[in-house]
Amino acid sequence: MSLILASTSPARLQVLRAAGIEPLVRPSEVDEDAVLAAAGDLSPAETVLTLARAKALAVADSGEALDGFVLGGDSMFEVNGELQGKPHTPERARERWEAQRGQTGTLWSGHWLVDRRAGSEGGDGVGLVKSARVTFVDDLDDAEIDAYVASGEPLWVAGAFTIDSLGGAFIERIDGDPSTVIGISLPVVRRLVRELGGSWPALWNRPGAAS
């Protein structure tokens, strides 16, 4: 039995590896804009949960023979009343940092787990949302913003920041589970595994992890 990660996020993979789990990585091919358009008006929590569910089910129902739990995740950052995903461009990343320095926002992280263990009854799975409050330093200058954007790191992460790499120096405080800000809450994933009748220690498969 294994954990199948329906994501190419290096940060999520790193968190799982540090927790003793080497997942099978199976990227989902989901049109996020189409999923949200079909869902209608959603709250921030509903938005990330809807996308996490779509990603997990896309992999779980892809036709590939799987034996384990399929995990989908999605994260977005809410600041100044605006819900933000990945900026994708340097211009947008710079605009976001100019607006959010010194501010506090909420990182929403959706998790969806589907049971595709051999012999299981299948089903659409279960999900949970976790959030954490993030406060940025208020003395971040334009040169630091330019250097951070030029690094390329903020272009492909929700909210245009990380806490576990270059962006960590620009975070003043986190209120909540730090792994949630990275994009995956280990306590939430454990809870979902148990809800589906699984064992969290049974997923420990990295060298040095207990078995």
Side-chain angles (χ1 to χ4, degrees):
M1 184 184 69
S2 60
L3 184 69
I4 299 101
L5 181 62
S7 170
T8 57
S9 166
R12 291 191 181 104
L13 181 59
Q14 182 178 347
V15 170
L16 288 170
R17 284 175 169 171
I21 298 172
E22 183 67 43
L24 297 176
V25 177
R26 296 292 186 270
S28 62
E29 301 295 335
V30 170
D31 186 334
E32 297 186 16
D33 291 337
V35 170
L36 294 180
D41 190 28
L42 301 173
S43 68
E46 291 169 337
T47 297
V48 295
L49 192 60
T50 296
L51 290 174
R53 180 180 185 274
K55 294 174 183 179
L57 287 173
V59 171
D61 298 336
S62 64
E64 179 181 356
L66 302 171
D67 180 16
F69 295 103
V70 182
L71 176 64
D74 191 81
S75 298
M76 289 194 177
F77 188 60
E78 184 182 17
V79 63
N80 298 323
E82 181 182 355
L83 192 62
Q84 303 174 347
K86 302 171 181 135
H88 296 297
T89 68
E91 293 76 19
R92 192 170 300 151
R94 184 175 293 103
E95 289 174 0
R96 290 186 182 178
W97 269 101
E98 289 173 349
Q100 68 194 24
R101 56 182 158 190
Q103 302 295 312
T104 297
T106 301
L107 196 292
W108 299 91
S109 187
H111 310 71
W112 196 271
L113 194 71
V114 181
D115 188 354
R116 288 297 182 266
R117 290 175 293 174
S120 72
E121 297 181 358
D124 289 344
V126 292
L128 280 172
V129 176
K130 196 74 176 288
S131 65
R133 299 278 286 170
V134 180
T135 300
F136 301 104
V137 298
D138 59 8
D139 62 348
L140 185 64
D141 60 39
D142 291 344
E144 288 177 310
I145 291 177
D146 287 342
Y148 187 43
V149 171
S151 76
E153 180 179 280
L155 273 60
W156 308 106
V157 288
F161 71 93
T162 67
I163 66 167
D164 56 336
S165 190
L166 300 179
F170 308 136
I171 309 299
E172 182 70 34
R173 185 176 69 254
I174 295 172
D175 298 311
D177 173 17
S179 66
T180 299
V181 184
I182 298 175
I184 178 172
S185 169
L186 292 173
V188 164
V189 179
R190 171 186 171 273
R191 188 179 311 166
L192 295 177
V193 168
R194 287 163 59 90
E195 187 173 340
L196 290 177
S199 165
W200 180 252
L203 294 174
W204 294 340
N205 61 350
R206 282 183 60 78
S211 60

